[in-house]
Amino acid sequence: MTGLKKSTEKHLMLFSGRAYPELANEIADLMGVGVVPMRALSYANSEIYVRFEESVRGCDAFVVQSHCAPVNEWLMEQLIMVDALKRASAKRITVVAPFYPYARQDKKHAGREPISARLVADLFKTAGADRIMSVDLHAAQIQGFFDGPVDHLWALPVLADYVQNKYDTSEMTVVSPDAGRVRLADMWTDRLNAELAIIHKRRDPDVANTVAVHEVVGEVEGKVCLLVDDMIDTAGTICQAAEALKARGAKSVIAATTHAVLSGPAAQRLNASAFEEVIVTNTLPIETPEPIEKLTVLSISPLISEAIQQVFTDGSVTKLFNGQS
């Protein structure tokens, strides 16, 4: 026999960027591992430097980074981390991006526009990523932008369990805030065995970027209305939707969304809104200029840790969501 044969065991290592280390620490605690120590700094001219303080040769690497503001800085840091792992001979590199950066730029709405979500996927691939894991992509087609496996996790089980335990779903109507979220709302209705309603936004033709009328399609009078969406950014759309539901006789309005971006006036709008409760997950750090009294934050860490375990052991991620992806 020629050559050398060596039996080796798979070795999982978890890495965290600086954007939201608390989430990575939660995941690490649930998995019973430690986050690999890393020296990271930003130079005076804003360039980023990273170096891992342990050998990563032959490891199955999972690089966790939450893309909150400033998104470009944390995206670049994750790319540099992936490049460092590739050059240090990590065997497989999985990018764990709970909130996929630039996900809303998934198609061209007009001429001479970029498709930035595709560009991000290309950057991850070029840097050396073998796989991407994300939660509630803004558009399902983003899975096709990356040349490799994409694990699309759903926060619906985490959010729905909370809603079912706290509210009477027999008097609940699930509401899609616009036509683009109807598939998500339909999944919620199946889970809660509830009715479905849709809000159709009609814009004022004489005033740019202004919603003139919210038409509600479905029965909401006397109902507990659950508005579902993938994210809350400035909270303008979802707060207007809540007002429209209350104006049409809704008993109460709650919201369940995955990503709490909460930019600009979001906190002020939510505090002044008609919502009884706003339920989100901790895919992003909650950093607002004022506390949001109606906000409930659920941990996404158990879902991500279980998905990482399935990937590491060559199990099935899809089985966590009853075959949906």
Side-chain angles (χ1 to χ4, degrees), residues 2-207:
T2 59
L4 179 66
K5 184 177 181 180
K6 182 180 179 182
S7 59
T8 58
E9 293 183 356
K10 294 178 69 177
H11 181 203
L12 184 152
M13 299 184 80
L14 190 67
F15 304 83
S16 173
R18 294 177 292 169
Y20 190 17
E22 294 83 1
L23 178 62
N25 289 333
E26 282 186 31
I27 296 169
D29 290 343
L30 290 169
M31 297 180 64
V33 301
V35 177
V36 176
M38 176 182 77
R39 180 170 179 252
L41 54 90
S42 298
Y43 291 120
N45 69 344
S46 78
E47 289 182 359
I48 296 169
Y49 167 86
V50 301
R51 180 181 184 273
F52 302 113
E53 298 183 343
E54 293 182 7
S55 172
V56 301
R57 184 177 298 274
C59 78
D60 201 343
F62 293 84
V63 186
V64 183
Q65 181 79 299
S66 290
H67 295 93
C68 52
V71 174
N72 295 336
E73 180 176 352
W74 302 134
L75 173 59
M76 193 66 203
E77 181 179 83
Q78 193 172 28
L79 290 168
I80 291 172
M81 292 171 69
V82 170
D83 183 74
L85 287 167
K86 178 183 69 174
R87 296 177 188 280
S89 301
K91 186 174 183 180
R92 181 172 66 169
I93 304 170
T94 300
V95 165
V96 182
F99 179 64
Y100 188 92
Y102 289 88
R104 283 172 283 187
Q105 297 185 37
D106 62 294
K107 58 182 175 291
K108 292 179 68 173
H109 297 276
R112 299 177 297 282
E113 283 187 348
I115 303 179
S116 304
R118 169 60 192 265
L119 173 62
V120 169
D122 289 343
L123 289 170
F124 280 134
K125 189 65 178 181
T126 301
D130 300 295
R131 191 182 197 106
I132 292 178
M133 182 181 294
S134 192
V135 182
D136 280 356
L137 292 169
H138 187 66
Q141 66 261 28
I142 292 174
Q143 295 175 84
F145 292 169
F146 183 73
D147 185 15
V150 176
D151 298 303
H152 185 199
L153 311 184
W154 295 89
L156 190 152
V158 177
L159 296 165
D161 284 348
Y162 176 87
V163 171
Q164 286 178 305
N165 290 331
K166 184 169 182 178
Y167 294 93
D168 181 5
T169 57
S170 65
E171 60 174 5
M172 183 172 287
T173 295
V174 177
V175 184
S176 172
D178 54 46
R181 299 294 106 188
V182 172
R183 178 172 180 257
L184 174 63
D186 196 42
M187 293 169 62
W188 272 89
T189 61
D190 291 341
R191 177 66 179 254
L192 302 181
N193 193 26
E195 297 178 2
L196 173 66
I198 303 168
I199 294 180
H200 175 60
K201 294 180 292 187
R202 298 184 62 185
R203 300 189 179 276
D204 189 334
D206 299 322
V207 183

Side-chain angles (χ1 to χ4, degrees), residues 171-279:
E171 60 174 5
M172 183 172 287
T173 295
V174 177
V175 184
S176 172
D178 54 46
R181 299 294 106 188
V182 172
R183 178 172 180 257
L184 174 63
D186 196 42
M187 293 169 62
W188 272 89
T189 61
D190 291 341
R191 177 66 179 254
L192 302 181
N193 193 26
E195 297 178 2
L196 173 66
I198 303 168
I199 294 180
H200 175 60
K201 294 180 292 187
R202 298 184 62 185
R203 300 189 179 276
D204 189 334
D206 299 322
V207 183
N209 300 320
T210 301
V211 177
V213 179
H214 285 87
E215 295 182 350
V216 179
V217 181
E219 183 59 47
V220 299
E221 187 173 356
K223 297 282 190 175
V224 176
C225 291
L226 173 64
L227 271 163
V228 296
D229 208 343
D230 64 319
M231 72 177 76
I232 299 178
D233 192 349
T234 61
T237 297
I238 202 164
C239 286
Q240 289 179 14
E243 294 291 344
L245 292 171
K246 289 292 287 186
R248 283 156 180 79
K251 180 180 177 181
S252 61
V253 185
I254 59 177
T257 66
T258 304
H259 308 296
V261 182
L262 303 178
S263 305
Q268 182 180 359
R269 286 173 173 172
L270 289 172
N271 281 330
S273 70
F275 285 114
E276 179 179 313
E277 185 177 16
V278 178
I279 310 159

